[in-house]
Every structure is written in C-alpha cells, then in structure tokens.
Amino acid sequence: MHTLVYPLSGNAVTLHINRRAKKNIILRPHGKSSLHISIPPWLSQNRLQQWLRANEPLLAQMLAKAACTPPTPQNTLPEWIWWHGRKTPLAIHSAATQIRYGESSLHLPDAAVTPLQQWLWQQAGQHLLPKLATHAQAWQKQPACIALTRAKTFWGVCRPHTGIRLNWRLIGAPDYVADYICIHELCHLPHPDHSPQFWATVNRLTPHTQAAETWLKAHGRELFALG
C-alpha cells in the first residue's frame, strides 16, 4: 500500500492506495481528509489521476460521509463479538468481562477493549498460524515466514521475502473462511497476481471460495468491532 496526496477543492486529501481490486476502483471513507482506494494491478498512475479528476464529486461525497460518521467510543466493549463464526455475547460482571461460547466462558480482568484484543490476538496465534502451517505442508507451498498482522485493509498478504501474514481478526470467522484465506495467500507463492491461473489454483484447493467471500462480504466489517 502507498499514499497519494490529491488536491480537492483547495484541500489536501490523503489517498491510501492498494492494488487488490479485480476490475473496478473501490473507494471507502477513512477520515475527514483521507480515503482508502483499491485499484486493479494494471491501472497506471496517469489513468488513476484521470479517474480522480473525473470523479471529484464522488471523492467529496465519500469525505462528507466520513465526516458525518460518529467516532467509535474508545475503550468501549460491544455487546457481542464474532468467535469462530458464532455471535458470542460479552457480559460484564463487577468490572470484569465474561465471554461465553458454547458451554465455556472466559473472564478478563477488566471491562475494556485492550485486554480482550490481547486475548484474541493470542488465540489467533494459537489457531490461525498452525492452520496456515498445516495447509502449507499439505500443499507443499512453504512461505518464508508466517505471522499475524493488525492491518485494517486486508485479510492476508503474501510477499516472497517476508512470507504470509494473516489478519488476527479472522479468529472471529468460521473455520472455512480462515481456511480459504490461508489457501488464497499460499496460492500467491506461485501466482503473485490474481490471474486466471491463480483463481484456478485456489478453486482447485478449496471448495469454499464463494461461500467464504460471501461471508466476508456480509460480516467482514463486524470483525472490526474492537478496532
């Protein structure tokens, strides 16, 4: 990802750009003076500048939308979180947070976001990274390294020299979604782009591609309830 400062109506707008879009340019509000923009890998800087100039009203609309969105209260827990694909309620008792899932429950020391994030990060490391390692061994595709990421713009990333990183928030998704992201990133080792060959490999290795993408489209934003 890289940034671009674009002049809009006399104001400087920061664009956070990634090249993960398949065909269309995708805009998302980020702040009062910044936007996330996803573009196809083949789009040149000149074409991007042309598109920006032709769509300045849309940029202004997105910025206005971000400005009208109330900030998320800091250190405030939601009523529930996603946990392995299930909506799991959070109950607060005497300044301690209790997480109930199935017949079990977890008590955290205080009713705050940070301890819960830390616990979920640990759970992601214990669950997601072994899952990725198992898939890598099964399909004989060994990344240089595997790790978690706190990124807010992608579910996983694969780079030749730094390996594969998985978004820790996938601990909230169903296992078949996490499996799909693992295989998706592993398939970037032989296919660094989103070519037809890449998607053919993904679809051959996992039967859950469409179901996983549908779940993420419907619930992906909810995985960011804790930031």
Side-chain angles (χ1 to χ4, degrees):
M1 177 177 291
H2 68 279
T3 59
L4 169 69
V5 177
Y6 183 79
L8 181 66
S9 302
N11 298 314
V13 177
T14 301
L15 302 178
H16 302 272
I17 302 171
N18 67 64
R19 292 183 173 272
R20 296 179 62 86
K22 295 178 182 179
K23 294 190 299 183
N24 301 319
I25 295 176
I26 302 172
L27 276 177
R28 294 192 304 275
H30 180 258
K32 294 181 180 180
S33 60
S34 63
L35 297 169
H36 280 301
I37 179 168
S38 185
I39 64 177
W42 46 262
L43 192 72
S44 68
Q45 286 297 319
N46 287 338
R47 290 287 300 275
L48 174 60
Q49 289 285 348
Q50 293 173 5
W51 187 92
L52 291 171
R53 288 192 293 270
N55 289 273
E56 289 188 351
L58 179 60
L59 301 182
Q61 180 182 350
M62 283 292 181
L63 290 172
K65 181 178 179 180
C68 293
T69 301
T72 302
Q74 296 297 312
N75 218 30
T76 301
L77 288 170
E79 294 182 358
W80 58 271
I81 61 171
W82 283 105
W83 171 252
H84 290 290
R86 290 186 294 177
K87 287 186 176 181
T88 303
L90 302 179
I92 300 175
H93 300 285
S94 302
T97 303
Q98 182 184 60
I99 303 175
R100 297 193 185 99
Y101 49 96
E103 301 299 323
S104 303
S105 63
L106 168 80
H107 294 267
L108 296 173
D110 57 74
V113 169
T114 300
L116 181 54
Q117 285 179 327
Q118 293 172 345
W119 181 77
L120 289 171
W121 176 276
Q122 294 171 354
Q123 294 299 305
Q126 296 172 14
H127 180 76
L128 296 176
L129 297 185
K131 180 186 288 290
L132 176 58
T134 298
H135 284 300
Q137 183 176 9
W139 305 115
Q140 299 181 351
K141 301 177 186 297
Q142 294 298 328
C145 176
I146 61 174
L148 298 177
T149 176
R150 301 183 187 276
K152 294 187 177 181
T153 56
F154 55 80
W155 297 116
V157 62
C158 176
R159 295 190 175 97
H161 302 296
T162 57
I164 293 175
R165 291 179 292 157
L166 299 177
N167 197 308
W168 69 270
R169 298 169 186 85
L170 287 170
I171 193 64
D175 274 349
Y176 72 88
V177 174
D179 287 328
Y180 162 67
I181 297 298
C182 289
I183 292 174
H184 182 112
E185 298 308 327
L186 285 167
C187 289
H188 276 311
L189 292 173
H191 305 290
D193 53 14
H194 287 93
S195 63
Q197 292 82 2
F198 165 82
W199 286 111
T201 305
V202 171
N203 293 328
R204 177 170 57 84
L205 295 180
T206 173
H208 306 303
T209 297
Q210 188 58 53
E213 290 191 343
T214 298
W215 194 95
L216 286 171
K217 184 177 181 179
H219 305 292
R221 291 183 64 85
E222 296 167 352
L223 296 181
F224 290 83
L226 299 176

